[in-house]
């Protein structure tokens, strides 16, 4: 895994040019471009969830995996992590605003970020698993594990990218280039 990340590190754009086309599409308004991306990401998430639910519905029920009480607990806790992190970050903090140059004053350390650095990813994975247990579908458990693996891969790119964005801002502030 580490070798893969090292080989693909050049794909990450630490100069924030990767979403330039979207900002340009919105006449240079990075905030509007970020909101458009938020709508797209949210909409694709709804589509993904519908596909997941449909895939589970078409799988056989296995009573071994049907556990409503833990399912509801996972769904509640997962959604709590996702919704509270969205509240703590706001729309631009949630939907890649830092990639558009819309930076927060500092890192968020309040709930749920005092539990984990990636509450949205872990909360989402918990919700997928909760849904699988509620439906009693083993395929959902496999898909939930795949989601967690993909989120882990995303974090291996996102965390260093985000750290570099803020480190660059701090360097520029020290050099007197940014207030």
């Amino acid at each position: 895994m580490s070798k893969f990340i090292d080989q693909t590190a050049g794909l990450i754009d630490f100069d924030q040019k990767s979403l330039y086309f979207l900002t340009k599409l919105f006449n240079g308004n990075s905030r509007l471009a970020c909101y458009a991306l938020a709508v797209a990401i949210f909409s694709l998430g709804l589509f993904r969830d519908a596909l997941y639910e449909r895939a589970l519905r078409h799988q056989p029920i296995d009573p071994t995996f049907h556990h409503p009480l833990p399912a509801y607990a996972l769904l509640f806790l997962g959604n709590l992590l996702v919704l509270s992190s969205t509240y703590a970050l706001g729309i631009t903090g949630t939907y890649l605003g830092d990639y558009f140059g819309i930076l927060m004053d500092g890192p968020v350390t309040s709930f749920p970020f005092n539990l984990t650095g990636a509450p949205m990813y872990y909360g989402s994975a918990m919700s997928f698993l909760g849904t699988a247990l509620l439906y009693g579908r083993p395929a959902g458990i496999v898909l939930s594990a795949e989601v967690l693996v993909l989120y882990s891969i995303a974090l291996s790119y996102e965390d260093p990218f985000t750290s570099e964005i803020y480190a660059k801002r701090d360097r520029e502030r020290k050099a007197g280039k940014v207030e």
Side-chain angles (χ1 to χ4, degrees):
M1 178 70 152
S2 149
K3 183 178 179 184
F4 172 77
I5 292 170
D6 291 342
Q7 290 174 343
T8 58
L11 298 174
I12 300 173
D13 179 9
F14 286 112
D15 291 325
Q16 301 177 29
K17 294 177 186 168
S18 49
L19 296 175
Y20 174 75
F21 71 94
L22 192 54
T23 302
K24 191 171 183 174
L25 184 67
F26 287 94
N27 295 320
N29 187 332
S30 59
R31 188 166 294 278
L32 190 56
C34 182
Y35 284 122
L37 182 63
V39 168
I41 291 170
F42 187 80
S43 299
L44 288 169
L46 292 175
F47 180 67
R48 173 206 59 201
D49 293 349
L51 290 176
Y52 179 74
E53 188 274 334
R54 184 176 178 192
L56 293 189
R57 197 172 349 124
H58 288 73
Q59 296 295 316
I61 296 173
D62 185 338
T64 309
F65 295 101
H66 181 68
H67 300 285
L69 189 58
Y72 284 120
L74 284 166
L75 286 165
F76 174 78
L77 294 172
N79 282 294
L80 178 65
L81 289 175
V82 170
L83 294 173
S84 61
S85 57
T86 301
Y87 178 77
L89 294 173
I91 297 299
T92 58
T94 300
Y95 293 101
L96 307 176
D98 46 5
Y99 289 47
F100 288 94
I102 306 167
L103 304 182
M104 302 188 74
D105 293 332
V108 178
T109 57
S110 61
F111 182 81
F113 293 92
N114 60 349
L115 300 177
T116 175
M120 283 186 214
Y121 289 148
Y122 294 122
S124 178
M126 290 168 70
S127 294
F128 279 111
L129 181 58
T131 302
L133 294 175
L134 186 62
Y135 281 82
R137 305 304 210 284
I141 294 170
V142 172
L143 289 173
S144 299
E146 288 180 11
V147 164
L148 186 58
V149 167
L150 289 175
Y151 283 160
S152 297
I153 292 169
L155 280 171
S156 73
Y157 288 98
E158 187 176 313
D159 286 345
F161 184 82
T162 303
S163 295
E164 179 56 29
I165 290 171
Y166 283 92
K168 180 179 177 185
R169 179 190 66 182
D170 292 343
R171 287 190 302 271
E172 289 174 354
R173 280 183 175 171
K174 286 181 183 177
K177 294 181 182 178
V178 175
E179 287 193 31

